[in-house]
Amino acid sequence: MITRSPVVLQRQASSQPDAVPLMLPPAWQAQLSGAIRDPGELCRRLGLDDSWLPGAERGHALFDVRVPEAFLARMRHGDPDDPLLRQVLPLAAEDKILPGYVSDPLAEADHTPARGVIHKYAGRVLLIASPVCAVNCRYCFRRHFPYEQNAPSRSQWDVSLEYLHGDTSISEAILSGGDPLATSDRQLAWLVGRLDNVPHLKRLRIHTRLPVVIPDRVDDTLLGWLSATRLQKVVVLHINHANEIDDAVVAACERLKGAGATLLNQSVLLRGVNDSVDALASLSERLFEAGILPYYLHVLDPVEGAAHFDVIDEEARELVAGLRETLPGFLMPRLVREIPGEASKTPL
């Protein structure tokens, strides 16, 4: 159910006739704040054997658990191999230190010309719009990112906007994070309104998982500021498995398209989640049914704590070759790796 935000409740006139109306947070913010943050609760809610708890606690100590109820509801009870659960369940394997797996696998610290700005590729700049996500994916390449040094605020965004105004080669602003849609609509409307005033900007791209894990995020207030911008709008979702897309996600995507957004998806190839031709084909088909075009299939960024998700390049190429025999070309995601210092994603 889509709710308008904020919700106003009037106190009973008989008791307090002059009372100020109470302002309740939007439904999505309540769901965000109510996300599961305890590994024990996650295991109990899904009926996992007690043997999973020690590893979950070890992983949680390195990177917090965060799972919204709407995402939890799509997981299979009692199945530790559920492909959605595997993306968010901490494991003891996360504390292994392995060669080649580092805290900043994309060397983003080398491409931060101003606080909250990452400028790696020609013509487009990424702005950190939020330090948090609605769900903490265990393979996240930014699980060690120093958000405390890049915490978004209007004063920080003023610096970012000054940087954008000063470089006329930039035609696209990318809102990322964390998850940019974890920021309030008031803040986002302010930021996007100022991006509108950068004359050489043509496109606004938003990288987000929130319409997937909390579909109620796509409410009337969000659609208001998104519809109002003069910029061409691209929303890049992050969906790794067909089971992530339920009717509520489809409805959220329809509303985003109604606001003029082009919807793309990028996935990560993950061991035990989508490392089969059947899983990848089902994902592409389900994406298209929801009005989303497959865009990228990333091999795992070698971030410390996520080596157990890795699929070697040779196997990745074989999977994509099998996928090509199954799907039409327009449903084929591009298999890529991001290599620090390269001018674009590198096809495999």
Side-chain angles (χ1 to χ4, degrees):
M1 179 179 68
I2 303 297
T3 58
R4 289 171 171 78
S5 56
V7 177
V8 180
L9 292 184
Q10 182 71 46
R11 298 181 193 269
Q12 290 187 4
S14 60
S15 60
Q16 298 186 43
D18 298 321
V20 176
L22 292 175
M23 304 294 288
L24 294 182
W28 69 269
Q29 286 189 341
Q31 293 178 55
L32 182 62
S33 63
I36 293 172
R37 303 293 302 274
D38 174 49
E41 182 183 358
L42 179 62
C43 291
R44 288 191 299 273
R45 292 285 301 278
L46 287 169
L48 298 187
D49 185 271
D50 289 345
S51 63
W52 288 93
L53 185 55
E57 290 176 335
R58 284 169 63 182
H60 172 70
L62 299 170
F63 184 43
D64 289 345
V65 165
R66 187 191 297 265
V67 185
E69 292 282 349
F71 196 62
L72 181 81
R74 291 167 237 167
M75 300 176 191
R76 294 190 295 260
H77 192 268
D79 183 2
D81 294 323
D82 177 82
L84 277 60
L85 174 61
R86 285 189 61 85
Q87 297 178 55
V88 299
L89 178 65
L91 298 175
E94 295 179 33
D95 66 7
K96 291 183 179 178
I97 305 299
L98 298 174
Y101 289 84
V102 297
S103 61
D104 184 12
L106 304 185
E108 290 186 325
D110 299 334
H111 300 280
T112 305
R115 287 185 62 188
V117 174
I118 298 174
H119 193 175
K120 294 188 290 187
Y121 300 136
R124 48 218 189 266
V125 161
L126 185 149
L127 306 180
I128 298 295
S130 171
V132 300
C133 287
V135 62
N136 283 351
C137 303
R138 310 311 299 177
Y139 51 86
C140 180
F141 69 91
R142 288 198 185 125
R143 58 183 284 167
H144 305 289
F145 187 80
Y147 287 109
E148 67 281 357
Q149 299 171 24
N150 294 274
S153 64
R154 290 193 180 186
S155 60
Q156 178 233 285
W157 285 338
D158 281 333
V159 175
S160 304
L161 290 162
E162 183 179 353
Y163 180 83
L164 265 67
H165 275 284
D167 188 341
T168 58
S169 72
I170 299 170
S171 60
E172 182 173 11
I174 303 170
L175 301 187
S176 185
D179 192 310
L181 294 188
T183 298
S184 73
D185 287 308
R186 181 176 59 85
Q187 292 282 70
L188 289 171
W190 181 92
L191 176 59
V192 173
R194 276 145 185 81
L195 290 173
D196 272 348
N197 295 329
V198 180
H200 45 273
L201 280 185
K202 298 178 181 178
R203 289 182 301 278
L204 171 68
R205 196 191 326 170
I206 301 172
H207 283 230
T208 179
R209 197 132 156 77
L210 249 158
V212 180
V213 298
I214 302 179
D216 280 347
R217 179 62 184 96
V218 186
D219 61 14
D220 291 347
T221 310
L222 181 154
L223 295 169
W225 61 258
L226 188 63
S227 300
T229 178
R230 68 166 180 84
L231 301 169
Q232 291 182 301
K233 300 171 279 286
V234 180
V235 175
V236 182
L237 299 167
H238 176 186
I239 304 171
N240 296 314
H241 196 277
N243 291 0
E244 297 179 42
I245 306 174
D246 63 3
D247 290 344
V249 173
V250 173
C253 290
E254 289 175 350
R255 288 169 67 85
L256 288 169
K257 288 192 297 178
T262 297
L263 302 186
L264 305 176
N265 183 66
Q266 53 184 4
S267 306
V268 181
L269 184 58
L270 299 168
R271 176 73 63 194
V273 173
N274 57 12
D275 56 331
S276 71
V277 171
D278 286 346
L280 293 171
S282 295
L283 172 60
S284 283
E285 294 281 6
R286 184 63 174 141
L287 287 168
F288 193 66
E289 290 171 1
I292 311 164
L293 277 177
Y295 175 36
Y296 280 141
L297 175 61
H298 289 263
V299 296
L300 183 74
D301 295 315
V303 63
E304 185 179 292
H308 54 288
F309 286 112
D310 196 25
V311 176
I312 63 172
D313 287 0
E314 181 180 359
E315 184 179 349
R317 293 189 187 99
E318 289 175 355
L319 286 170
V320 169
L323 197 61
R324 194 172 291 115
E325 296 175 358
T326 304
L327 293 176
F330 64 89
L331 292 186
M332 283 294 302
R334 286 170 280 179
L335 180 67
V336 296
R337 166 178 283 115
E338 187 162 357
I339 300 175
E342 294 295 313
S344 64
K345 305 290 192 300
T346 300
L348 291 183

